[in-house]
Structure formats: structure tokens, C-alpha cells
Amino acid sequence: MIRRHTALSVSAASALLLSAPLLTACGEAPRPGAAAVMDGGRITVSELQGQVKAVREAQRNDPRAAQMVAGSGRLSQDTLIRMIQFRVIERAGKDNGISLTRREIQRARSAAETQSGGATALRALYLQQGIAPAGIDEAVRMDLTRNALLRKLGTSKVNEVFARTSKALDIKVNPRYGKWDNTQGTAVLAREAWLRTSGGTPEQA
């Protein structure tokens, strides 16, 4: 849904995260030590693990720690998909002349804090979506970039741009985490052998 203002709403803050990625164990393996490769660069396993560790540490310090941990069983996979999505959005924004200042990001974050009931409440909201406090500014920037693209290009065109940008980045995900789908902007579900019934028919996902 296209919004008229650049301010980030609480509901939009986790818009990219509403559909948790489901992953497959097939696909081309990127270079050793990489969780994913794209555009001649890579997201290393250590980078991914660092973000996951930051989320887990923040969750443990939250009063609802057990609930949060239980609800984020795919944290490593979800975090990697988000990292890739952010790079796609960032490139699409750059290619289409979208530029944000630090002040715009801070204003949007402040507005979201006000709407959600304060800075602590906003941090909790993002943490529920698997984003550590240190990653909030980046998440805000990506949401603002996507909204700016929506206003400039329209929904259908933006989807085309994201898919084209994703394909141009030549994204390959370590089979441990999934197989990238340029059209969907996530990883695809596979029916693993151990999910099959005794009769050999895959169970419904």
C-alpha cells in the first residue's frame, strides 16, 4: 500500500517480514565461508552469525524472552533473507534516483517511536521481527526507500524493478539456507525426504 508521507508507520516497520521465508536445501553453493554471494561480493557466514547473535542477546534481555525465542526458530534463515532483500532494495533505490538523508531516517524513526509508545516499545516491535536494536536504522532506511520507489513507480512497476534488480545481482544462497527466487524475493520451499509420508507422498506444507 502506498503511503503519502515518508514517516514510517509501526505496521510498515515490519512489512518486509510479514511472510517468513521457507527454505530449501538445494541450489548452487557459493564460495566457502559465504552464506550468499551477489554482484561480485558476498554475505559471509560470520556476518550472518553476528546479526543472529545480536538478536538472540537482545531477546534474552527481554521480559518475553522465551516467547520470542520460540517464535524465531528460523532466525538464521530469516535474517539472511532480510539481508539480501535489503541489498536488493538499496540497489533498486540507487538505480532509480532515491536518496535519503540521515535526518529523514531519524525523523521517520522518531515518528514510529511516538506512534508505538516510545523507543523501548519500538525496539520490542522490531525484536519480535528478528531485528536487533542496532539494525533498526537500516530497517527504517530500507522501508523508506521502498516507499519512495512505490510513490515514484507504482506497485506493479516496483515489483518488476525488484525482480529485475534481484536477477541482475546474480544472487546465490548457500544450500544450507535455501535457494533464491528472484520473482518472489525470498527462498523457495522444498519437500525434504524426511517430510515424506511412509507411503512416499510428500506431506502438505
Side-chain angles (χ1 to χ4, degrees), residues 104-144:
E104 287 176 304
I105 295 168
Q106 288 303 313
R107 287 170 61 183
R109 178 169 177 169
S110 295
E113 288 175 350
T114 299
Q115 182 183 355
S116 63
T120 299
L122 186 67
R123 286 196 296 270
L125 173 65
Y126 274 102
L127 192 56
Q128 289 172 3
Q129 302 298 333
I131 297 177
I136 293 177
D137 280 356
E138 182 184 28
V140 170
R141 181 167 63 89
M142 290 302 102
D143 193 73
L144 291 179

PDB file of all heavy atoms in Angstrom, residues 104-144:
ATOM      1  N   GLU A 104      16.268  12.409   7.537  1.00  0.00           N
ATOM      2  CA  GLU A 104      14.984  11.811   7.166  1.00  0.00           C
ATOM      3  C   GLU A 104      14.772  10.484   7.889  1.00  0.00           C
ATOM      4  O   GLU A 104      13.663  10.175   8.333  1.00  0.00           O
ATOM      5  CB  GLU A 104      14.935  11.583   5.653  1.00  0.00           C
ATOM      6  CG  GLU A 104      14.780  12.848   4.825  1.00  0.00           C
ATOM      7  CD  GLU A 104      14.845  12.565   3.337  1.00  0.00           C
ATOM      8  OE1 GLU A 104      15.842  11.975   2.887  1.00  0.00           O
ATOM      9  OE2 GLU A 104      13.884  12.928   2.634  1.00  0.00           O
ATOM     10  N   ILE A 105      15.838   9.708   7.999  1.00  0.00           N
ATOM     11  CA  ILE A 105      15.739   8.418   8.681  1.00  0.00           C
ATOM     12  C   ILE A 105      15.438   8.620  10.157  1.00  0.00           C
ATOM     13  O   ILE A 105      14.575   7.934  10.732  1.00  0.00           O
ATOM     14  CB  ILE A 105      17.049   7.622   8.496  1.00  0.00           C
ATOM     15  CG1 ILE A 105      17.242   7.274   7.014  1.00  0.00           C
ATOM     16  CG2 ILE A 105      17.029   6.345   9.341  1.00  0.00           C
ATOM     17  CD1 ILE A 105      18.610   6.749   6.681  1.00  0.00           C
ATOM     18  N   GLN A 106      16.112   9.563  10.778  1.00  0.00           N
ATOM     19  CA  GLN A 106      15.888   9.812  12.195  1.00  0.00           C
ATOM     20  C   GLN A 106      14.489  10.357  12.463  1.00  0.00           C
ATOM     21  O   GLN A 106      13.854  10.013  13.458  1.00  0.00           O
ATOM     22  CB  GLN A 106      16.945  10.788  12.719  1.00  0.00           C
ATOM     23  CG  GLN A 106      18.339  10.168  12.842  1.00  0.00           C
ATOM     24  CD  GLN A 106      18.344   8.939  13.745  1.00  0.00           C
ATOM     25  OE1 GLN A 106      17.788   8.953  14.838  1.00  0.00           O
ATOM     26  NE2 GLN A 106      18.946   7.855  13.261  1.00  0.00           N
ATOM     27  N   ARG A 107      14.003  11.205  11.572  1.00  0.00           N
ATOM     28  CA  ARG A 107      12.649  11.735  11.729  1.00  0.00           C
ATOM     29  C   ARG A 107      11.615  10.623  11.612  1.00  0.00           C
ATOM     30  O   ARG A 107      10.631  10.588  12.357  1.00  0.00           O
ATOM     31  CB  ARG A 107      12.391  12.822  10.693  1.00  0.00           C
ATOM     32  CG  ARG A 107      13.114  14.124  10.981  1.00  0.00           C
ATOM     33  CD  ARG A 107      13.046  15.089   9.826  1.00  0.00           C
ATOM     34  NE  ARG A 107      11.684  15.471   9.499  1.00  0.00           N
ATOM     35  CZ  ARG A 107      11.361  16.260   8.477  1.00  0.00           C
ATOM     36  NH1 ARG A 107      12.322  16.727   7.676  1.00  0.00           N
ATOM     37  NH2 ARG A 107      10.114  16.580   8.240  1.00  0.00           N
ATOM     38  N   ALA A 108      11.835   9.709  10.669  1.00  0.00           N
ATOM     39  CA  ALA A 108      10.905   8.594  10.495  1.00  0.00           C
ATOM     40  C   ALA A 108      10.932   7.681  11.712  1.00  0.00           C
ATOM     41  O   ALA A 108       9.888   7.212  12.180  1.00  0.00           O
ATOM     42  CB  ALA A 108      11.265   7.811   9.237  1.00  0.00           C
ATOM     43  N   ARG A 109      12.119   7.434  12.235  1.00  0.00           N
ATOM     44  CA  ARG A 109      12.223   6.579  13.423  1.00  0.00           C
ATOM     45  C   ARG A 109      11.548   7.242  14.623  1.00  0.00           C
ATOM     46  O   ARG A 109      10.836   6.575  15.390  1.00  0.00           O
ATOM     47  CB  ARG A 109      13.683   6.286  13.734  1.00  0.00           C
ATOM     48  CG  ARG A 109      13.863   5.433  14.992  1.00  0.00           C
ATOM     49  CD  ARG A 109      15.268   4.923  15.153  1.00  0.00           C
ATOM     50  NE  ARG A 109      15.412   4.182  16.394  1.00  0.00           N
ATOM     51  CZ  ARG A 109      16.471   3.442  16.712  1.00  0.00           C
ATOM     52  NH1 ARG A 109      17.490   3.371  15.860  1.00  0.00           N
ATOM     53  NH2 ARG A 109      16.520   2.804  17.861  1.00  0.00           N
ATOM     54  N   SER A 110      11.754   8.533  14.789  1.00  0.00           N
ATOM     55  CA  SER A 110      11.123   9.257  15.900  1.00  0.00           C
ATOM     56  C   SER A 110       9.603   9.199  15.800  1.00  0.00           C
ATOM     57  O   SER A 110       8.907   9.031  16.804  1.00  0.00           O
ATOM     58  CB  SER A 110      11.598  10.717  15.918  1.00  0.00           C
ATOM     59  OG  SER A 110      12.983  10.800  16.199  1.00  0.00           O
ATOM     60  N   ALA A 111       9.092   9.341  14.576  1.00  0.00           N
ATOM     61  CA  ALA A 111       7.646   9.276  14.379  1.00  0.00           C
ATOM     62  C   ALA A 111       7.112   7.888  14.736  1.00  0.00           C
ATOM     63  O   ALA A 111       6.043   7.750  15.343  1.00  0.00           O
ATOM     64  CB  ALA A 111       7.305   9.614  12.929  1.00  0.00           C
ATOM     65  N   ALA A 112       7.863   6.848  14.373  1.00  0.00           N
ATOM     66  CA  ALA A 112       7.448   5.479  14.688  1.00  0.00           C
ATOM     67  C   ALA A 112       7.497   5.231  16.190  1.00  0.00           C
ATOM     68  O   ALA A 112       6.645   4.524  16.745  1.00  0.00           O
ATOM     69  CB  ALA A 112       8.343   4.485  13.958  1.00  0.00           C
ATOM     70  N   GLU A 113       8.491   5.806  16.851  1.00  0.00           N
ATOM     71  CA  GLU A 113       8.587   5.665  18.302  1.00  0.00           C
ATOM     72  C   GLU A 113       7.380   6.298  18.984  1.00  0.00           C
ATOM     73  O   GLU A 113       6.798   5.731  19.910  1.00  0.00           O
ATOM     74  CB  GLU A 113       9.883   6.299  18.809  1.00  0.00           C
ATOM     75  CG  GLU A 113      11.123   5.510  18.452  1.00  0.00           C
ATOM     76  CD  GLU A 113      12.408   6.210  18.864  1.00  0.00           C
ATOM     77  OE1 GLU A 113      12.336   7.398  19.267  1.00  0.00           O
ATOM     78  OE2 GLU A 113      13.478   5.581  18.795  1.00  0.00           O
ATOM     79  N   THR A 114       6.997   7.478  18.499  1.00  0.00           N
ATOM     80  CA  THR A 114       5.838   8.161  19.058  1.00  0.00           C
ATOM     81  C   THR A 114       4.575   7.344  18.870  1.00  0.00           C
ATOM     82  O   THR A 114       3.753   7.191  19.774  1.00  0.00           O
ATOM     83  CB  THR A 114       5.663   9.544  18.398  1.00  0.00           C
ATOM     84  OG1 THR A 114       6.828  10.339  18.660  1.00  0.00           O
ATOM     85  CG2 THR A 114       4.440  10.255  18.939  1.00  0.00           C
ATOM     86  N   GLN A 115       4.421   6.789  17.673  1.00  0.00           N
ATOM     87  CA  GLN A 115       3.224   6.013  17.361  1.00  0.00           C
ATOM     88  C   GLN A 115       3.150   4.726  18.175  1.00  0.00           C
ATOM     89  O   GLN A 115       2.062   4.301  18.577  1.00  0.00           O
ATOM     90  CB  GLN A 115       3.185   5.682  15.879  1.00  0.00           C
ATOM     91  CG  GLN A 115       1.939   4.911  15.458  1.00  0.00           C
ATOM     92  CD  GLN A 115       1.969   4.532  13.989  1.00  0.00           C
ATOM     93  OE1 GLN A 115       2.879   4.921  13.269  1.00  0.00           O
ATOM     94  NE2 GLN A 115       0.983   3.772  13.558  1.00  0.00           N
ATOM     95  N   SER A 116       4.298   4.107  18.415  1.00  0.00           N
ATOM     96  CA  SER A 116       4.303   2.810  19.093  1.00  0.00           C
ATOM     97  C   SER A 116       4.321   2.922  20.614  1.00  0.00           C
ATOM     98  O   SER A 116       4.170   1.919  21.315  1.00  0.00           O
ATOM     99  CB  SER A 116       5.507   1.983  18.630  1.00  0.00           C
ATOM    100  OG  SER A 116       6.714   2.637  18.998  1.00  0.00           O
ATOM    101  N   GLY A 117       4.528   4.133  21.122  1.00  0.00           N
ATOM    102  CA  GLY A 117       4.527   4.303  22.570  1.00  0.00           C
ATOM    103  C   GLY A 117       5.884   4.504  23.178  1.00  0.00           C
ATOM    104  O   GLY A 117       6.068   4.322  24.389  1.00  0.00           O
ATOM    105  N   GLY A 118       6.875   4.867  22.356  1.00  0.00           N
ATOM    106  CA  GLY A 118       8.199   5.147  22.876  1.00  0.00           C
ATOM    107  C   GLY A 118       9.284   4.295  22.248  1.00  0.00           C
ATOM    108  O   GLY A 118       9.007   3.313  21.542  1.00  0.00           O
ATOM    109  N   ALA A 119      10.532   4.669  22.530  1.00  0.00           N
ATOM    110  CA  ALA A 119      11.681   3.979  21.942  1.00  0.00           C
ATOM    111  C   ALA A 119      11.748   2.518  22.373  1.00  0.00           C
ATOM    112  O   ALA A 119      12.057   1.632  21.571  1.00  0.00           O
ATOM    113  CB  ALA A 119      12.972   4.704  22.321  1.00  0.00           C
ATOM    114  N   THR A 120      11.446   2.254  23.631  1.00  0.00           N
ATOM    115  CA  THR A 120      11.501   0.873  24.135  1.00  0.00           C
ATOM    116  C   THR A 120      10.475  -0.001  23.436  1.00  0.00           C
ATOM    117  O   THR A 120      10.763  -1.141  23.053  1.00  0.00           O
ATOM    118  CB  THR A 120      11.259   0.843  25.654  1.00  0.00           C
ATOM    119  OG1 THR A 120      12.285   1.612  26.309  1.00  0.00           O
ATOM    120  CG2 THR A 120      11.293  -0.585  26.172  1.00  0.00           C
ATOM    121  N   ALA A 121       9.293   0.543  23.246  1.00  0.00           N
ATOM    122  CA  ALA A 121       8.231  -0.218  22.577  1.00  0.00           C
ATOM    123  C   ALA A 121       8.599  -0.500  21.124  1.00  0.00           C
ATOM    124  O   ALA A 121       8.332  -1.583  20.600  1.00  0.00           O
ATOM    125  CB  ALA A 121       6.913   0.548  22.648  1.00  0.00           C
ATOM    126  N   LEU A 122       9.214   0.472  20.457  1.00  0.00           N
ATOM    127  CA  LEU A 122       9.597   0.262  19.060  1.00  0.00           C
ATOM    128  C   LEU A 122      10.693  -0.794  18.958  1.00  0.00           C
ATOM    129  O   LEU A 122      10.664  -1.644  18.065  1.00  0.00           O
ATOM    130  CB  LEU A 122      10.071   1.573  18.428  1.00  0.00           C
ATOM    131  CG  LEU A 122      10.352   1.482  16.924  1.00  0.00           C
ATOM    132  CD1 LEU A 122       9.063   1.248  16.145  1.00  0.00           C
ATOM    133  CD2 LEU A 122      11.056   2.744  16.428  1.00  0.00           C
ATOM    134  N   ARG A 123      11.651  -0.736  19.874  1.00  0.00           N
ATOM    135  CA  ARG A 123      12.711  -1.762  19.866  1.00  0.00           C
ATOM    136  C   ARG A 123      12.107  -3.150  20.046  1.00  0.00           C
ATOM    137  O   ARG A 123      12.532  -4.114  19.401  1.00  0.00           O
ATOM    138  CB  ARG A 123      13.731  -1.470  20.965  1.00  0.00           C
ATOM    139  CG  ARG A 123      14.662  -0.309  20.659  1.00  0.00           C
ATOM    140  CD  ARG A 123      15.868  -0.316  21.581  1.00  0.00           C
ATOM    141  NE  ARG A 123      15.489  -0.102  22.965  1.00  0.00           N
ATOM    142  CZ  ARG A 123      15.409   1.092  23.541  1.00  0.00           C
ATOM    143  NH1 ARG A 123      15.674   2.181  22.835  1.00  0.00           N
ATOM    144  NH2 ARG A 123      15.077   1.203  24.810  1.00  0.00           N
ATOM    145  N   ALA A 124      11.115  -3.260  20.922  1.00  0.00           N
ATOM    146  CA  ALA A 124      10.464  -4.551  21.142  1.00  0.00           C
ATOM    147  C   ALA A 124       9.741  -5.028  19.890  1.00  0.00           C
ATOM    148  O   ALA A 124       9.761  -6.212  19.557  1.00  0.00           O
ATOM    149  CB  ALA A 124       9.482  -4.441  22.312  1.00  0.00           C
ATOM    150  N   LEU A 125       9.113  -4.100  19.183  1.00  0.00           N
ATOM    151  CA  LEU A 125       8.408  -4.439  17.951  1.00  0.00           C
ATOM    152  C   LEU A 125       9.373  -5.020  16.923  1.00  0.00           C
ATOM    153  O   LEU A 125       9.105  -6.062  16.312  1.00  0.00           O
ATOM    154  CB  LEU A 125       7.719  -3.203  17.388  1.00  0.00           C
ATOM    155  CG  LEU A 125       7.061  -3.355  16.004  1.00  0.00           C
ATOM    156  CD1 LEU A 125       5.907  -4.335  16.077  1.00  0.00           C
ATOM    157  CD2 LEU A 125       6.580  -2.009  15.488  1.00  0.00           C
ATOM    158  N   TYR A 126      10.489  -4.348  16.734  1.00  0.00           N
ATOM    159  CA  TYR A 126      11.465  -4.843  15.770  1.00  0.00           C
ATOM    160  C   TYR A 126      12.085  -6.156  16.234  1.00  0.00           C
ATOM    161  O   TYR A 126      12.354  -7.049  15.420  1.00  0.00           O
ATOM    162  CB  TYR A 126      12.556  -3.795  15.547  1.00  0.00           C
ATOM    163  CG  TYR A 126      12.201  -2.772  14.502  1.00  0.00           C
ATOM    164  CD1 TYR A 126      11.771  -1.497  14.849  1.00  0.00           C
ATOM    165  CD2 TYR A 126      12.291  -3.078  13.145  1.00  0.00           C
ATOM    166  CE1 TYR A 126      11.430  -0.559  13.885  1.00  0.00           C
ATOM    167  CE2 TYR A 126      11.961  -2.160  12.172  1.00  0.00           C
ATOM    168  CZ  TYR A 126      11.529  -0.899  12.552  1.00  0.00           C
ATOM    169  OH  TYR A 126      11.189   0.017  11.586  1.00  0.00           O
ATOM    170  N   LEU A 127      12.314  -6.279  17.526  1.00  0.00           N
ATOM    171  CA  LEU A 127      12.914  -7.501  18.037  1.00  0.00           C
ATOM    172  C   LEU A 127      12.014  -8.697  17.791  1.00  0.00           C
ATOM    173  O   LEU A 127      12.483  -9.801  17.501  1.00  0.00           O
ATOM    174  CB  LEU A 127      13.197  -7.346  19.532  1.00  0.00           C
ATOM    175  CG  LEU A 127      14.090  -8.412  20.181  1.00  0.00           C
ATOM    176  CD1 LEU A 127      15.427  -8.508  19.456  1.00  0.00           C
ATOM    177  CD2 LEU A 127      14.305  -8.093  21.650  1.00  0.00           C
ATOM    178  N   GLN A 128      10.708  -8.499  17.881  1.00  0.00           N
ATOM    179  CA  GLN A 128       9.762  -9.562  17.577  1.00  0.00           C
ATOM    180  C   GLN A 128       9.892 -10.021  16.131  1.00  0.00           C
ATOM    181  O   GLN A 128       9.583 -11.162  15.802  1.00  0.00           O
ATOM    182  CB  GLN A 128       8.329  -9.082  17.841  1.00  0.00           C
ATOM    183  CG  GLN A 128       7.987  -8.903  19.307  1.00  0.00           C
ATOM    184  CD  GLN A 128       6.638  -8.249  19.500  1.00  0.00           C
ATOM    185  OE1 GLN A 128       5.922  -7.977  18.530  1.00  0.00           O
ATOM    186  NE2 GLN A 128       6.268  -7.977  20.740  1.00  0.00           N
ATOM    187  N   GLN A 129      10.352  -9.128  15.267  1.00  0.00           N
ATOM    188  CA  GLN A 129      10.517  -9.455  13.851  1.00  0.00           C
ATOM    189  C   GLN A 129      11.947  -9.911  13.538  1.00  0.00           C
ATOM    190  O   GLN A 129      12.303 -10.079  12.375  1.00  0.00           O
ATOM    191  CB  GLN A 129      10.180  -8.237  12.995  1.00  0.00           C
ATOM    192  CG  GLN A 129       8.768  -7.698  13.199  1.00  0.00           C
ATOM    193  CD  GLN A 129       7.703  -8.707  12.825  1.00  0.00           C
ATOM    194  OE1 GLN A 129       7.925  -9.570  11.985  1.00  0.00           O
ATOM    195  NE2 GLN A 129       6.544  -8.606  13.447  1.00  0.00           N
ATOM    196  N   GLY A 130      12.762 -10.099  14.591  1.00  0.00           N
ATOM    197  CA  GLY A 130      14.116 -10.607  14.383  1.00  0.00           C
ATOM    198  C   GLY A 130      15.146  -9.553  14.041  1.00  0.00           C
ATOM    199  O   GLY A 130      16.173  -9.866  13.436  1.00  0.00           O
ATOM    200  N   ILE A 131      14.897  -8.300  14.427  1.00  0.00           N
ATOM    201  CA  ILE A 131      15.839  -7.217  14.160  1.00  0.00           C
ATOM    202  C   ILE A 131      16.340  -6.659  15.483  1.00  0.00           C
ATOM    203  O   ILE A 131      15.546  -6.197  16.312  1.00  0.00           O
ATOM    204  CB  ILE A 131      15.195  -6.096  13.326  1.00  0.00           C
ATOM    205  CG1 ILE A 131      14.780  -6.636  11.961  1.00  0.00           C
ATOM    206  CG2 ILE A 131      16.137  -4.908  13.170  1.00  0.00           C
ATOM    207  CD1 ILE A 131      14.070  -5.619  11.082  1.00  0.00           C
ATOM    208  N   ALA A 132      17.651  -6.713  15.686  1.00  0.00           N
ATOM    209  CA  ALA A 132      18.252  -6.204  16.911  1.00  0.00           C
ATOM    210  C   ALA A 132      18.208  -4.679  16.921  1.00  0.00           C
ATOM    211  O   ALA A 132      18.101  -4.045  15.868  1.00  0.00           O
ATOM    212  CB  ALA A 132      19.697  -6.690  17.023  1.00  0.00           C
ATOM    213  N   PRO A 133      18.304  -4.064  18.100  1.00  0.00           N
ATOM    214  CA  PRO A 133      18.271  -2.600  18.187  1.00  0.00           C
ATOM    215  C   PRO A 133      19.257  -1.902  17.253  1.00  0.00           C
ATOM    216  O   PRO A 133      18.915  -0.878  16.656  1.00  0.00           O
ATOM    217  CB  PRO A 133      18.607  -2.340  19.659  1.00  0.00           C
ATOM    218  CG  PRO A 133      18.034  -3.528  20.372  1.00  0.00           C
ATOM    219  CD  PRO A 133      18.313  -4.683  19.450  1.00  0.00           C
ATOM    220  N   ALA A 134      20.432  -2.465  17.082  1.00  0.00           N
ATOM    221  CA  ALA A 134      21.443  -1.835  16.224  1.00  0.00           C
ATOM    222  C   ALA A 134      21.052  -1.849  14.749  1.00  0.00           C
ATOM    223  O   ALA A 134      21.628  -1.105  13.950  1.00  0.00           O
ATOM    224  CB  ALA A 134      22.793  -2.528  16.408  1.00  0.00           C
ATOM    225  N   GLY A 135      20.079  -2.675  14.385  1.00  0.00           N
ATOM    226  CA  GLY A 135      19.683  -2.773  12.986  1.00  0.00           C
ATOM    227  C   GLY A 135      18.438  -1.976  12.634  1.00  0.00           C
ATOM    228  O   GLY A 135      17.999  -1.998  11.476  1.00  0.00           O
ATOM    229  N   ILE A 136      17.876  -1.243  13.596  1.00  0.00           N
ATOM    230  CA  ILE A 136      16.620  -0.536  13.340  1.00  0.00           C
ATOM    231  C   ILE A 136      16.787   0.562  12.298  1.00  0.00           C
ATOM    232  O   ILE A 136      15.951   0.699  11.399  1.00  0.00           O
ATOM    233  CB  ILE A 136      16.049   0.040  14.652  1.00  0.00           C
ATOM    234  CG1 ILE A 136      15.611  -1.102  15.575  1.00  0.00           C
ATOM    235  CG2 ILE A 136      14.854   0.957  14.360  1.00  0.00           C
ATOM    236  CD1 ILE A 136      15.093  -0.640  16.925  1.00  0.00           C
ATOM    237  N   ASP A 137      17.841   1.349  12.401  1.00  0.00           N
ATOM    238  CA  ASP A 137      18.015   2.443  11.436  1.00  0.00           C
ATOM    239  C   ASP A 137      18.084   1.918  10.005  1.00  0.00           C
ATOM    240  O   ASP A 137      17.513   2.512   9.084  1.00  0.00           O
ATOM    241  CB  ASP A 137      19.284   3.246  11.751  1.00  0.00           C
ATOM    242  CG  ASP A 137      19.066   4.239  12.889  1.00  0.00           C
ATOM    243  OD1 ASP A 137      17.927   4.365  13.370  1.00  0.00           O
ATOM    244  OD2 ASP A 137      20.046   4.880  13.309  1.00  0.00           O
ATOM    245  N   GLU A 138      18.776   0.796   9.811  1.00  0.00           N
ATOM    246  CA  GLU A 138      18.860   0.228   8.467  1.00  0.00           C
ATOM    247  C   GLU A 138      17.492  -0.236   7.994  1.00  0.00           C
ATOM    248  O   GLU A 138      17.120  -0.026   6.840  1.00  0.00           O
ATOM    249  CB  GLU A 138      19.841  -0.941   8.435  1.00  0.00           C
ATOM    250  CG  GLU A 138      19.995  -1.532   7.034  1.00  0.00           C
ATOM    251  CD  GLU A 138      20.880  -2.758   6.998  1.00  0.00           C
ATOM    252  OE1 GLU A 138      20.947  -3.472   8.025  1.00  0.00           O
ATOM    253  OE2 GLU A 138      21.487  -3.008   5.952  1.00  0.00           O
ATOM    254  N   ALA A 139      16.720  -0.853   8.891  1.00  0.00           N
ATOM    255  CA  ALA A 139      15.385  -1.313   8.527  1.00  0.00           C
ATOM    256  C   ALA A 139      14.487  -0.131   8.170  1.00  0.00           C
ATOM    257  O   ALA A 139      13.707  -0.190   7.219  1.00  0.00           O
ATOM    258  CB  ALA A 139      14.774  -2.116   9.676  1.00  0.00           C
ATOM    259  N   VAL A 140      14.606   0.964   8.914  1.00  0.00           N
ATOM    260  CA  VAL A 140      13.836   2.163   8.615  1.00  0.00           C
ATOM    261  C   VAL A 140      14.237   2.715   7.251  1.00  0.00           C
ATOM    262  O   VAL A 140      13.397   3.089   6.436  1.00  0.00           O
ATOM    263  CB  VAL A 140      14.045   3.234   9.707  1.00  0.00           C
ATOM    264  CG1 VAL A 140      13.451   4.578   9.280  1.00  0.00           C
ATOM    265  CG2 VAL A 140      13.412   2.782  11.026  1.00  0.00           C
ATOM    266  N   ARG A 141      15.528   2.752   6.995  1.00  0.00           N
ATOM    267  CA  ARG A 141      16.017   3.278   5.710  1.00  0.00           C
ATOM    268  C   ARG A 141      15.504   2.445   4.544  1.00  0.00           C
ATOM    269  O   ARG A 141      15.097   2.984   3.504  1.00  0.00           O
ATOM    270  CB  ARG A 141      17.549   3.296   5.707  1.00  0.00           C
ATOM    271  CG  ARG A 141      18.161   3.842   4.422  1.00  0.00           C
ATOM    272  CD  ARG A 141      19.633   4.130   4.622  1.00  0.00           C
ATOM    273  NE  ARG A 141      20.391   2.930   4.929  1.00  0.00           N
ATOM    274  CZ  ARG A 141      20.954   2.136   4.012  1.00  0.00           C
ATOM    275  NH1 ARG A 141      20.805   2.421   2.719  1.00  0.00           N
ATOM    276  NH2 ARG A 141      21.654   1.078   4.372  1.00  0.00           N
ATOM    277  N   MET A 142      15.497   1.135   4.691  1.00  0.00           N
ATOM    278  CA  MET A 142      15.021   0.276   3.613  1.00  0.00           C
ATOM    279  C   MET A 142      13.524   0.449   3.384  1.00  0.00           C
ATOM    280  O   MET A 142      13.047   0.458   2.251  1.00  0.00           O
ATOM    281  CB  MET A 142      15.338  -1.187   3.922  1.00  0.00           C
ATOM    282  CG  MET A 142      16.812  -1.540   3.866  1.00  0.00           C
ATOM    283  SD  MET A 142      17.584  -1.186   2.255  1.00  0.00           S
ATOM    284  CE  MET A 142      18.443   0.351   2.644  1.00  0.00           C
ATOM    285  N   ASP A 143      12.766   0.616   4.473  1.00  0.00           N
ATOM    286  CA  ASP A 143      11.329   0.801   4.314  1.00  0.00           C
ATOM    287  C   ASP A 143      11.024   2.136   3.629  1.00  0.00           C
ATOM    288  O   ASP A 143      10.162   2.208   2.747  1.00  0.00           O
ATOM    289  CB  ASP A 143      10.633   0.744   5.670  1.00  0.00           C
ATOM    290  CG  ASP A 143       9.125   0.616   5.539  1.00  0.00           C
ATOM    291  OD1 ASP A 143       8.660  -0.475   5.176  1.00  0.00           O
ATOM    292  OD2 ASP A 143       8.429   1.618   5.765  1.00  0.00           O
ATOM    293  N   LEU A 144      11.752   3.166   4.001  1.00  0.00           N
ATOM    294  CA  LEU A 144      11.560   4.468   3.366  1.00  0.00           C
ATOM    295  C   LEU A 144      11.950   4.420   1.896  1.00  0.00           C
ATOM    296  O   LEU A 144      11.299   5.027   1.046  1.00  0.00           O
ATOM    297  CB  LEU A 144      12.387   5.540   4.089  1.00  0.00           C
ATOM    298  CG  LEU A 144      11.937   5.910   5.503  1.00  0.00           C
ATOM    299  CD1 LEU A 144      12.881   6.954   6.088  1.00  0.00           C
ATOM    300  CD2 LEU A 144      10.511   6.422   5.509  1.00  0.00           C
TER     301      LEU A 144
END
